[in-house]
Amino acid sequence: MIRASAVLSGENVMRRGALKSGLIGGAVLALLWFLCGWVPYLLSQAGGSLATLARLVPSPLTRGVFGTAVLWAVLVQLLMAVVLVAGFAALAARFSPRRAGFPAGWLASILVAFAIGAALDLGNFVTGIGDFGIGGAVGTMGAASQTTWWAVVVGWIPALVSARSGRTRDEGTTPARQPGATASGRVVALIAAVALILIPVAAQAGDDAMQDQLREEQATTEGEADPSGAAAPDPSAEGEPVPTAGPSDEATADGACTAENTTIMTPPPDGATGHRGQLLQLVNVAEEPCILRGYPDVAYGDQNGHLLDVSVEHGRSFMAEDPGPSSITLQPGDSATAVVGWDANSVQGQLAARSIWVAVAPGEERLSWEMPLDLIPGATVHVTAWQPAVPPAA
């Protein structure tokens, strides 16, 4: 009985030492796993010759890490680390309970890597069978072969570290009763099993989260997309805001029509044979007459709210003749009109006018309207002078 007890005590010590050596080897396996996974990815992102070099490094990281939601990717990698460390330790101690052996460590590396790949493949198959059928779901698998081959190539390194660690630990060790050694191994194995089960669940959750994010981004892009094909708004674009008043070197004359005593209306433009014409109508809303002379002040804003580089010239256009500037006395309720004309432009993929800013004259406060117009940077508009509005026929 005494001899049997001594033998069991010694075996417990060796089993406990093998478990500790396995944890060290598992940590090395996890380090190599992520090193071989992230280095090729970063090299491929760099492009050029570095991307070619990335193909020479075997990578065990497949589904659930790259191209998925960040938080879920982090969780998947944490679960992988737990399986690699705990799984290697449990298997290495199981295969070689008396001393951490090199063959046992290499085999443990291969089996743990295969288990992670197989779990991911099983998750792919289960989620893919509903969308693609059995044949299509089988086509989504392949992680197990990749992770297993990686472990065949690299798994000898943690096996060697574990074996050397176990040999060093055994030197000078005196057997002592360690009744918790076997229980500790079972706890480590249980932890590895639970983490392994959770890996495909977390990977699928990450894929679903990424798909939801992509759908939201697509919906946002489609919502912001311009029906005419102009460039989408860019919140980070640089530019000058549209001034609320244009430059003027002249002082406002007494009794002149200003922003305070008038209002302006700008209906959508009319089109004819590749030309555009937009009527501007000014109304005296005060109780006193005002004097109107010259040309309206016109500017345009693009889809980013910046001043659009459009040349504004005074004179006739295809859509209207210019009567030239003259003094017009507008009685309360009377109105005057001017016409802005330009040639049609293709706005496909470009900055384009999405608001028009008009004032009674340069220097006066501008009114603005959101209005899509086919004006692009470099375009020219011709503005006629104010003239009395033609009263409707009786």
Side-chain angles (χ1 to χ4, degrees), residues 155-176:
W156 63 271
I157 300 177
L160 182 62
V161 172
S162 177
R164 288 183 176 276
S165 173
R167 187 176 299 113
T168 301
R169 191 178 298 274
D170 288 343
E171 293 177 357
T173 300
T174 302

Side-chain angles (χ1 to χ4, degrees), residues 1 98 125 145 169 202 219 230 274 345 357 364:
M1 292 291 296
R98 294 181 176 276
F125 181 82
S145 59
R169 191 178 298 274
N345 299 279
W357 298 64
E364 293 293 325

Side-chain angles (χ1 to χ4, degrees), residues 3-393:
R3 183 173 182 178
S5 176
V7 171
L8 290 175
S9 177
E11 288 182 353
N12 283 334
V13 171
M14 294 178 182
R15 197 179 291 272
R16 186 180 182 89
L19 182 64
K20 290 182 178 180
S21 300
L23 290 174
I24 295 174
V28 174
L29 180 65
L31 177 63
L32 293 173
W33 179 279
F34 294 113
L35 185 65
C36 292
W38 275 97
V39 168
Y41 173 77
L42 295 176
L43 290 177
S44 63
Q45 294 298 306
S49 58
L50 293 179
T52 303
L53 182 62
R55 300 176 183 176
L56 303 178
V57 182
S59 173
L61 292 183
T62 54
R63 177 177 175 239
V65 178
F66 305 121
T68 189
V70 174
L71 293 179
W72 287 108
V74 172
L75 178 59
V76 169
Q77 292 179 86
L78 289 175
L79 291 172
M80 287 180 174
V82 171
V83 174
L84 290 166
V85 176
F88 180 93
L91 290 175
R94 178 71 176 176
F95 295 148
S96 183
R98 294 181 176 276
R99 175 179 294 179
F102 176 77
W106 200 344
L107 180 59
S109 298
I110 296 172
L111 291 179
V112 170
F114 168 78
I116 293 176
L120 291 172
D121 281 343
L122 180 60
N124 281 341
F125 181 82
V126 172
T127 57
I129 193 171
D131 296 328
F132 312 113
I134 295 178
V138 170
T140 65
M141 302 170 69
S145 59
Q146 181 176 346
T147 56
T148 303
W149 172 244
W150 174 85
V152 170
V153 175
V154 179
W156 63 271
I157 300 177
L160 182 62
V161 172
S162 177
R164 288 183 176 276
S165 173
R167 187 176 299 113
T168 301
R169 191 178 298 274
D170 288 343
E171 293 177 357
T173 300
T174 302
R177 188 170 182 81
Q178 299 288 342
T182 303
S184 298
R186 291 173 180 172
V187 171
V188 170
L190 178 61
I191 292 174
V194 172
L196 184 64
I197 294 172
L198 292 177
I199 285 177
V201 177
Q204 182 59 42
D207 289 343
D208 293 341
M210 178 56 66
Q211 292 301 317
D212 292 340
Q213 180 180 335
L214 292 175
R215 281 191 289 268
E216 291 177 2
E217 292 177 354
Q218 182 178 2
T220 302
T221 301
E222 292 176 352
E224 295 178 349
D226 193 290
S228 60
D234 182 3
S236 63
E238 297 182 356
E240 174 190 357
V242 182
T244 56
S248 176
D249 297 330
E250 299 181 4
T252 303
D254 293 337
C257 295
T258 64
E260 285 74 23
N261 55 26
T262 63
T263 190
I264 300 173
M265 293 175 284
T266 59
D270 294 326
T273 62
H275 303 279
R276 303 286 185 266
Q278 186 169 22
L279 179 70
L280 307 180
Q281 183 175 10
L282 180 142
V283 180
N284 181 0
V285 296
E287 297 179 354
E288 301 292 335
C290 67
I291 299 175
L292 181 65
R293 180 180 177 82
Y295 294 84
D297 171 47
V298 179
Y300 299 91
D302 63 21
Q303 53 266 59
N304 300 317
H306 299 147
L307 179 65
L308 189 67
D309 182 19
V310 173
S311 298
V312 179
E313 298 181 0
H314 296 163
R316 66 177 297 276
S317 67
F318 182 87
M319 301 295 290
E321 294 293 333
D322 180 23
S326 61
S327 294
I328 305 169
T329 300
L330 294 180
Q331 298 298 325
D334 285 354
S335 61
T337 61
V339 177
V340 183
W342 67 90
D343 295 334
N345 299 279
S346 172
V347 300
Q348 187 68 37
Q350 300 197 60
L351 292 174
R354 290 298 174 260
S355 64
I356 180 172
W357 298 64
V358 182
V360 58
E364 293 293 325
E365 184 178 359
R366 291 167 169 165
L367 298 176
S368 65
W369 298 264
E370 297 294 327
M371 188 178 299
L373 302 170
D374 57 352
L375 288 168
I376 60 177
T380 300
V381 299
H382 296 86
V383 183
T384 65
W386 291 114
Q387 58 181 321
V390 178

